Amino acid sequence: MRWQPWLVTASLTLSLAALGWWQHHEYLQESKLIRETLRRESHAVMNALVGGFQAHRRRGNYFADQIAGLLQGIVRSDDILAIGVATEEGQLCLSAGKTKLLSTVSLTDAGDYWDAAGFRLVERFELPPPHEQARGGRGGGRGPPADAFGPEEFESPLSADGNFTAVLILDRSQVDARCRDAAWLRGSVAAASGLLLLGLSLAWWKTVQMAGRARLLEIESRHLRDLSQAAAGLAHETRNPLGLIRGWAQRLAQSGGQSSQQQDQVEAIVEECDRVTARINQFLAFARPTEPKLVRVYVKELIDELAILLEPDLSEKKLTLDCQSLELINPICADREMLRQALFNLVQNAIHASPVQETIEIRMRIRQNGKCRIEVVNRGSAIPDKVVKSLFTPYFTTRSDGTGLGLAIVQHIASMHGWEASYSPRSSGGSIFWLDGIHG
């Protein structure tokens, strides 16, 4: 199945949205449980307080003092900010803690709610007449008669019966902190999961792209391989008739009997056949997919062979081939024929680039890691920066008679060995072409 980009994007967006909604829902549930815990604690304190009021059979100033002390003890808790008791008309009878907070509370609306100050719980309760408490509810009561209480016992508003309101204000800072922690945790989980999902999606997408590119590269590689084989076969088939044409032309030139003009024409045919054959040989050397056969090779021996082969070109421009630095160099590991071909192309390129009566230097440097670099140095003109990147490109040349395959073959041979072929400008003028990464 081929996934379209819009489908992948839509799936990823929906997944991230579902993940965000899930973590938000979990945060709401966790916050609800945290708030519910504080609400239950507040109701437990309120029930204990109201139950204490209603359980007392004797009420009066002493009773009010006891209740006031009880309230002061309750507000010593870090969670309780203020507590108070008001009459049915809203008049505050008793209070403790941060009493200013009680002034902002409606003492007539029962219930619980949250505001900036904290969690507020307002609950109404009823105190029965003292004589009913004295008689007892269901058991008939054994308490003292109503007239047993002195008149001073009824000076406090709580001494009388009726409806009252209890107010409790709890600190919400810890609850808010736990809710923030829950939000941070859920947000972190959502972010981490989203990043993980995004990373997996990108990895999958890159894998799909790489698989597609791999298939495309495989197809292109197969096509180029087939094309290379076909071109090599065509070049090989072309070289055979060229050899035949050259042979007959040379025999015709040697037979005599032609005019000078005809003789020049026959010699031109021979030269053209040699030129085309040389280019075909270069193409075959570039296109032939052979694996290097690594042996121990002395670079000095190869240069000596090339010096003999290139002697006519060197003598024509009165050039000197300097390879004295190769005398004490140990052998390297390479395919002998491939390395010979690469060095031949580099030296031949240096001959064309060198002025008359100059020196071409061939040197080899051994690095600390044991690998070597072979350099072919000429003292010709510097190569323009705009063409440096194209030097090793097939069929790119700066000479009118060049084929553009010499340096491309060098690059091809270097790649097959795992080396690097490149160019550097010479500080005092000229060029340095080198092969690097050669195992000693």
Side-chain angles (χ1 to χ4, degrees):
M1 180 179 179
R2 185 178 179 85
W3 289 77
Q4 298 296 330
W6 67 267
L7 183 58
V8 176
T9 303
S11 301
L12 180 60
T13 303
L14 290 176
S15 300
L16 293 176
L19 177 63
W21 177 87
W22 171 47
Q23 290 302 315
H24 180 68
H25 176 73
E26 292 296 319
Y27 161 72
L28 294 179
Q29 293 296 321
E30 190 170 352
S31 299
K32 183 179 179 181
L33 291 177
I34 294 173
R35 292 171 179 267
E36 185 62 28
T37 300
L38 184 63
R39 180 179 286 108
R40 290 178 180 177
E41 291 178 358
S42 66
H43 280 278
V45 174
M46 181 63 75
N47 291 336
L49 179 63
V50 173
F53 289 160
Q54 295 175 339
H56 277 271
R57 299 188 176 189
R58 295 175 58 86
R59 299 200 298 273
N61 292 333
Y62 179 72
F63 167 68
D65 292 339
Q66 283 186 317
I67 296 300
L70 176 63
L71 298 184
Q72 292 292 338
I74 293 176
V75 297
R76 290 193 181 98
S77 173
D78 294 335
D79 296 333
I80 300 176
L81 298 178
I83 190 171
V85 179
T87 62
E88 187 176 7
E89 293 77 15
Q91 180 183 0
L92 198 62
C93 303
L94 293 174
S95 63
K98 299 179 180 180
T99 56
K100 291 183 178 180
L101 298 177
L102 298 173
S103 61
T104 61
V105 181
S106 175
L107 301 179
T108 58
D109 297 331
D112 56 62
Y113 54 95
W114 299 83
D115 59 18
F119 176 75
R120 302 171 182 261
L121 175 61
V122 179
E123 185 172 322
R124 293 178 180 176
F125 65 94
E126 181 182 359
L127 289 179
H131 63 278
E132 292 185 7
Q133 287 189 346
R135 296 190 185 94
R138 286 175 284 178
R142 298 181 181 179
D147 55 3
F149 301 100
E152 69 279 3
E153 296 290 338
F154 294 93
E155 293 179 1
S156 171
L158 292 175
S159 301
D161 59 333
N163 295 321
F164 295 87
T165 302
V167 182
L168 185 64
I169 303 178
L170 277 70
D171 184 15
R172 62 176 294 175
S173 59
Q174 293 186 5
V175 172
D176 292 340
R178 292 175 62 187
C179 290
R180 285 194 300 268
D181 293 341
W184 184 88
L185 176 61
R186 295 299 173 180
S188 300
V189 171
S193 302
L195 290 176
L196 178 61
L197 182 61
L198 183 61
L200 291 176
S201 301
L202 290 177
W204 173 82
W205 182 248
K206 287 296 182 181
T207 302
V208 172
Q209 286 185 327
M210 291 178 63
R213 291 177 181 175
R215 287 194 297 269
L216 181 60
L217 290 176
E218 183 180 358
I219 294 173
E220 291 181 353
S221 177
R222 189 184 304 116
H223 175 70
L224 291 176
R225 185 168 57 250
D226 295 341
L227 184 61
S228 176
Q229 292 177 353
L234 178 61
H236 182 74
E237 294 298 327
T238 304
R239 187 172 55 176
N240 291 337
L242 276 177
L244 181 62
I245 293 172
R246 185 189 186 283
W248 281 106
Q250 189 174 13
R251 290 179 62 182
L252 182 60
Q254 294 173 352
S255 64
Q258 296 87 11
S259 63
S260 60
Q261 183 180 3
Q262 292 175 337
Q263 186 71 21
D264 292 339
Q265 292 174 347
V266 172
E267 290 178 357
I269 293 175
V270 174
E271 291 179 359
E272 191 64 21
C273 288
D274 289 340
R275 186 181 66 84
V276 174
T277 301
R279 294 196 175 186
I280 290 176
N281 290 336
Q282 282 188 322
F283 172 77
L284 290 175
F286 175 75
R288 187 181 298 114
T290 56
E291 291 293 330
K293 298 178 181 179
L294 303 181
V295 295
R296 307 291 286 180
V297 181
Y298 285 91
V299 178
K300 182 65 168 58
E301 294 181 358
L302 294 181
I303 298 301
D304 291 341
E305 295 178 9
L306 296 179
I308 297 174
L309 183 64
L310 295 170
E311 176 60 29
D313 297 330
L314 293 169
S315 298
E316 182 180 356
K317 299 181 71 172
K318 298 180 182 180
L319 299 174
T320 302
L321 197 61
D322 181 9
C323 55
Q324 294 181 0
S325 63
L326 302 179
E327 294 290 347
L328 302 178
I329 297 297
N330 294 328
I332 63 174
C333 186
D335 185 296
R336 192 179 191 280
E337 293 304 318
M338 287 187 178
L339 180 59
R340 184 178 183 273
Q341 178 69 47
L343 292 175
F344 175 84
N345 291 352
L346 292 178
V347 175
Q348 191 177 49
N349 186 70
I351 291 174
H352 287 286
S354 297
V356 179
Q357 296 183 346
E358 279 291 352
T359 300
I360 297 175
E361 185 181 359
I362 301 176
R363 59 197 183 195
M364 187 162 67
R365 300 178 180 179
I366 300 179
R367 300 179 177 273
Q368 294 181 351
N369 57 6
K371 294 185 179 181
C372 306
R373 170 183 282 196
I374 301 176
E375 297 178 343
V376 178
V377 185
N378 70 73
R379 290 167 172 78
S381 301
I383 296 177
D385 295 338
K386 62 181 181 180
V387 302
V388 169
K389 293 183 178 180
S390 304
L391 284 176
F392 294 88
T393 304
Y395 302 107
F396 174 83
T397 181
T398 57
R399 303 200 316 263
S400 58
D401 59 342
T403 62
L405 285 176
L407 292 178
I409 291 174
V410 173
Q411 177 69 57
H412 180 63
I413 292 173
S415 299
M416 295 181 69
H417 281 81
W419 306 338
E420 181 183 0
S422 189
Y423 154 84
S424 300
R426 186 170 174 265
S427 58
S428 55
S431 304
I432 303 174
F433 287 87
W434 44 266
L435 295 171
D436 197 11
I438 305 173
H439 290 274

